[in-house]
Amino acid sequence: MTRWKAVAPDGTKSAFEAANDGDACGKHDMFACALAGCPDAHGWTFTDLDTGRTIVPEEVEAATAAALTAQQKG
C-alpha cells in the first residue's frame, strides 16, 4: 500500500492509502484528474509519503503539452 497526502487549493490536507495509482483514483476523486493534468485539479498536490513523489497537475499538463508538441514536430 502507498500512503498519499492530498493538499487542496485551500490548504486542506487529507490522507489515504492505495495499492497503486489506479486504486488511488478510486480513493480520491481528484487523483485521476491530477494524473491527467486536468485543469479541474489545478491547485491540488498529491505526495506519495513513502517515496516523496509529488504529483502537481499544472506540471503534468505542461509536460504533456511539451511531449505532444515534440511529437508533432517529429
Side-chain angles (χ1 to χ4, degrees), residues 64-74:
T64 301
L68 289 172
T69 299
Q71 184 180 32
Q72 289 174 347
K73 291 181 180 178

Side-chain angles (χ1 to χ4, degrees), residues 4-73:
W4 288 94
K5 175 179 75 174
V7 180
D10 67 2
T12 302
K13 296 176 185 174
S14 59
F16 62 98
E17 290 185 354
N20 53 47
D21 287 356
D23 183 39
C25 292
K27 303 271 181 164
H28 193 287
D29 61 347
M30 291 305 284
F31 191 85
C33 198
L35 284 178
C38 174
D40 289 346
H42 284 192
W44 284 85
T45 59
F46 292 88
T47 303
D48 179 331
L49 297 175
D50 299 316
T51 67
R53 171 183 165 210
T54 298
I55 298 170
V56 178
E58 294 86 342
E59 292 174 5
V60 173
E61 181 181 35
T64 301
L68 289 172
T69 299
Q71 184 180 32
Q72 289 174 347
K73 291 181 180 178

